[in-house]
Amino acid sequence: MRGTTVITGADGYLGRQLAAALLADGDDDLVLAVRADDSSELAAKKERLDQRLGPQARSRTRVVAADLSRDDALADIDTRSVTRIVHAAAVTRFNVERDLAQRVNVDGTARLRAFAARCDNLQRLAMLSTLYAAGRRRGDVHEERLDDVGFVNHYEWSKWAAEEEVLGAAGELPVSVLRLPTLVADDDGGQVTQYNAFHNTLKLFYYGLLSLLPGDGATPLSLATASFTASAVTRLLDPAIADGVYHICPDPADTATLDQLVDTAFTVFERDPGFQRRGLMRPLPCDQESFEDLLSAADLLRGGPINQSLSSVSPFAHQLYLPKTFRNDALRAAWPGYTAPDPLALAETTCLRLIESKWGRRTQETP
Ligand SMILES: NC(=O)c1ccc[n+]([C@@H]2O[C@H](COP(=O)([O-])OP(=O)(O)OC[C@H]3O[C@@H](n4cnc5c(N)ncnc54)[C@H](OP(=O)(O)O)[C@@H]3O)[C@@H](O)[C@H]2O)c1
């Protein structure tokens, strides 16, 4: 029987990719739930999704307003029709304030869980989380419910707390938590449409605005593309696959370290004439205490470009001193023969595209 999949945050970076993947791979109708403050914002979001998904999607999609920070969110959706829910909505800034993270990421997930409990025909509620819901722990991280060991920012904490909301319903509801790595490109071609701490840090290095390298060089960094992630989520939504916690990431043996990634990035930068002209040195490794000093100094330069750039890097940089290995045995079992992007090849093509596009500026300037 044809089902209905609800996607929250459907106009976000992954929400859009997932909507396209589910339209291409399956015959479910899609309810695309988006945050919209009023009817004009909803109309604008509808229009953008329509352009993105194409006219052939119209007969299978419905866009609804659903602000998960409000109690009446999702009231417009007929619960009887819903068979699967993908929860992609969240405030995703690493420097999100605690209150906002609580209201949207944690309480919003609790509202979604209550909605899911009213869907009598529900086969799967899948929440998109982050590998860094593991917080400050070091060493092996398994695909299981995690204790609170402290977090380096409110975003991480809120994703862990949202997982608790979802996993608290395991046994009563068919719930999965899908922990994602850092997405650095749309696909293996290295095109970037969503910029995050990874890209911003590289930008600082490329323009010579950061000469220290925070972190322990041996820290593994799990990277992936949006297209790999969308394929994995699509597969794990299949009700025939066991619910539970999954790490959607490359195998530990195929995960590059911070040192390897920085070496790859600088090898690409050093071939670029613009970078060569600046005559910059590679950044010096820096221990945690020295990095904290740099952040305090940058704080005094309030509003300057270095302070602005560092503010996007610093909420995450502490993780670079906490090496951990994300085990993905459950993913491997559920998806035999899967191929994750090669991390160094992905880093190389992504750096090339970043230089070409000047970190997105060139694309924006093009009419
Ligand atoms: N991309 C990554 O590298 C990555 C890595 C690990 C985990 N994840 C997780 O994957 C999920 C999707 O990430 P993404 O990269 O697609 O993020 P994104 O592009 O920032 O999209 C987030 C979506 O959530 C919506 N949203 C924000 N506040 C909301 C509210 N109050 N009610 C309803 N919707 C709200 C946003 O709408 P507005 O923009 O209109 O507010 C947007 O559509 C998130 O849960 C994130 O934590 C992503």
Side-chain angles (χ1 to χ4, degrees):
M1 195 191 75
R2 195 158 134 175
T4 296
T5 300
V6 176
I7 304 176
T8 69
D11 63 331
Y13 180 56
L14 276 173
R16 297 189 309 262
Q17 302 265 353
L18 281 166
L22 290 172
L23 286 167
D25 181 33
D27 58 3
D28 265 18
D29 288 328
L30 303 184
V31 174
L32 306 175
V34 300
R35 186 204 53 74
D37 286 342
D38 51 38
S39 55
S40 65
E41 190 175 13
L42 179 62
K45 287 191 166 198
K46 265 186 186 160
E47 175 68 28
R48 281 200 297 273
L49 277 168
D50 191 54
Q51 279 171 13
R52 161 83 198 205
L53 299 173
Q56 72 287 358
R58 283 181 201 147
S59 60
R60 287 176 56 199
T61 55
R62 188 163 76 92
V63 181
V64 300
D67 183 337
L68 288 171
S69 65
R70 297 169 49 138
D71 281 336
D72 60 354
L74 308 162
D76 291 345
I77 303 173
D78 171 14
T79 51
R80 284 163 310 175
S81 65
V82 176
T83 46
R84 303 187 297 184
I85 303 171
V86 188
H87 181 31
V91 178
T92 56
R93 282 184 288 115
F94 289 159
N95 61 355
V96 61
E97 304 74 13
R98 175 98 178 186
D99 285 0
L100 184 60
Q102 172 78 53
R103 225 171 32 248
V104 177
N105 297 0
V106 187
D107 299 345
T109 302
R111 287 186 184 97
L112 189 71
R113 169 186 152 167
F115 168 80
R118 297 196 297 276
C119 297
D120 292 337
N121 297 310
L122 188 71
Q123 296 172 352
R124 183 60 42 91
L125 161 58
M127 177 209 155
L128 304 191
S129 186
T130 163
L131 293 175
Y132 293 99
R136 290 188 176 272
R137 56 172 52 68
R138 296 164 183 259
D140 277 356
V141 182
H142 294 278
E143 292 155 296
E144 62 189 11
R145 196 167 174 176
L146 298 167
D147 297 333
D148 173 355
V149 294
F151 302 91
V152 312
N153 56 51
H154 300 316
Y155 170 73
E156 282 183 3
W157 159 77
S158 69
K159 295 303 286 187
W160 169 82
E163 286 192 5
E164 286 294 291
E165 293 292 342
V166 168
L167 292 171
E172 297 154 36
L173 294 175
V175 292
S176 286
V177 165
L178 311 180
R179 296 195 185 119
L180 313 183
T182 306
L183 304 188
V184 299
D186 300 349
D187 53 34
D188 291 348
Q191 166 91 18
V192 180
T193 42
Q194 190 193 55
Y195 290 82
N196 57 35
F198 175 85
H199 311 101
N200 293 338
T201 309
L202 289 174
K203 187 178 182 179
L204 292 177
F205 286 144
Y206 179 81
Y207 287 106
L209 293 169
L210 185 62
S211 51
L212 295 177
L213 173 63
D216 169 349
T219 300
L221 288 183
S222 196
L223 310 180
T225 61
S227 70
F228 166 74
T229 305
S231 304
V233 173
T234 305
R235 185 172 184 95
L236 296 170
L237 276 177
D238 181 346
I241 289 182
D243 52 19
V245 180
Y246 291 90
H247 289 169
I248 297 186
C249 60
D251 293 349
D254 296 331
T255 302
T257 62
L258 175 63
D259 270 351
Q260 288 174 310
L261 289 166
V262 170
D263 183 54
T264 301
F266 273 85
T267 304
V268 174
F269 291 173
E270 285 157 2
R271 292 200 300 257
D272 172 62
F275 186 80
Q276 286 168 4
R277 273 197 301 278
R278 286 193 286 282
L280 296 167
M281 308 279 286
R282 289 193 176 201
L284 294 170
C286 141
D287 62 30
Q288 195 156 9
E289 206 178 323
S290 313
F291 186 63
E292 297 297 341
D293 287 347
L294 174 70
L295 292 182
S296 313
D299 238 9
L300 301 173
L301 306 169
R302 218 175 291 265
I306 300 183
N307 181 257
Q308 271 174 22
S309 314
L310 271 177
S311 67
S312 120
V313 175
S314 61
F316 181 74
H318 302 278
Q319 273 297 351
L320 304 176
Y321 295 100
L322 299 166
K324 39 180 127 355
T325 301
F326 298 102
R327 315 295 320 185
N328 63 350
D329 309 76
L331 177 76
R332 291 185 66 80
W335 192 4
Y338 87 97
T339 320
D342 174 82
L344 296 181
L346 177 62
E348 182 174 348
T349 48
T350 305
C351 286
L352 280 167
R353 299 297 288 266
L354 288 171
I355 294 173
E356 259 168 40
S357 72
K358 296 199 170 191
W359 274 258
R361 263 194 299 146
R362 201 157 266 165
T363 340
Q364 281 165 16
E365 282 162 8
T366 313

